[in-house]
Amino acid sequence: MAFDDSFSKMDLSYTMNMASGVQRQIEESNRRYREISNEAYETRQRMQNALEQTASNTAETNLQLQKVVENQNDYIELLKEQLLVQKQQLEFDEQQLAVLKNIFSSDEDNVLIEKEIMRLIQEQIDSQHPLWDYVKDKGGDLAVTGITACAPVFYGAFKAFLASKGIVF
């Protein structure tokens, strides 16, 4: 018992206060550590969420860009098709122009053209038509008959003549 008596007579208050202070410091350190750990965890979670959102936005943007590229490719193909059609139309128009140039290039051809047009006019009208007397035996002098009086007939005949040469309008 001597040990217990000497132990009870000792003043341990300083040691106890010191141990209590150390315990409070450890508890405060642990509390701060938990706060810092929680803040770090929340920061990591926010960063992870931001990265996931960025990845999602990037994927959506890439999909939209892919659609834009596909639409542009389709538009380019459409323009190529239009260009091909326009080239074909230009070639056709150039062929018709060449035919017209050939038809009206020499004086000898003009007489044949006049006779052809006169024949076509005669096919379009009958003997009751007011122009019949002018065109039944004429060689093609349409100016004498009055171009305004026979314009619809002349136009039809001329159109038929050009169609016989491959020019359609």
Side-chain angles (χ1 to χ4, degrees):
M1 293 222 168
F3 179 70
D4 279 337
D5 279 340
S6 56
F7 192 65
S8 60
K9 288 184 182 179
M10 271 193 198
D11 184 17
L12 297 174
S13 63
Y14 177 74
T15 306
M16 294 282 283
N17 285 338
M18 193 159 125
S20 294
V22 168
Q23 181 64 32
R24 277 193 303 270
Q25 286 178 346
I26 290 173
E27 288 174 3
E28 180 64 22
S29 291
N30 286 341
R31 185 188 62 76
R32 285 185 185 162
Y33 176 76
R34 281 191 303 273
E35 285 177 3
I36 291 171
S37 295
N38 286 339
E39 286 178 23
Y41 175 77
E42 289 173 7
T43 301
R44 280 193 305 273
Q45 286 300 106
R46 284 193 305 268
M47 287 176 61
Q48 182 65 31
N49 290 341
L51 288 172
E52 289 172 3
Q53 186 64 41
T54 299
S56 174
N57 291 344
T58 301
E60 185 175 330
T61 301
N62 287 343
L63 182 62
Q64 290 173 353
L65 286 174
Q66 183 179 0
K67 287 180 182 178
V68 167
V69 168
E70 288 171 1
N71 288 341
Q72 287 296 319
N73 286 339
D74 291 344
Y75 181 66
I76 289 169
E77 289 302 315
L78 179 66
L79 289 175
K80 286 179 182 178
E81 290 173 13
Q82 286 178 345
L83 182 61
L84 180 63
V85 168
Q86 289 175 346
K87 283 181 180 179
Q88 291 171 344
Q89 182 63 44
L90 179 62
E91 290 172 4
F92 179 73
D93 290 346
E94 287 174 347
Q95 290 171 355
Q96 288 189 342
L97 180 60
V99 169
L100 285 172
K101 284 180 179 178
N102 289 336
I103 289 173
F104 296 104
S105 65
S106 73
D107 289 336
E108 293 173 14
D109 289 342
N110 288 343
V111 173
L112 293 174
I113 291 167
E114 288 174 2
K115 287 182 181 180
E116 177 80 15
I117 291 173
M118 190 59 64
R119 185 187 61 74
L120 292 168
I121 290 172
Q122 288 170 351
E123 288 176 4
Q124 291 184 18
I125 62 175
D126 59 15
S127 62
Q128 302 302 315
H129 197 279
L131 294 177
W132 181 253
D133 288 333
Y134 292 106
V135 297
K136 68 179 178 181
D137 292 323
K138 302 287 187 236
D141 190 2
L142 293 178
V144 175
T145 62
I147 214 62
T148 52
C150 68
V153 175
F154 178 75
Y155 175 75
F158 191 68
K159 188 174 176 181
F161 170 73
L162 292 177
S164 73
K165 301 300 180 194
I167 298 174
V168 181
F169 56 94

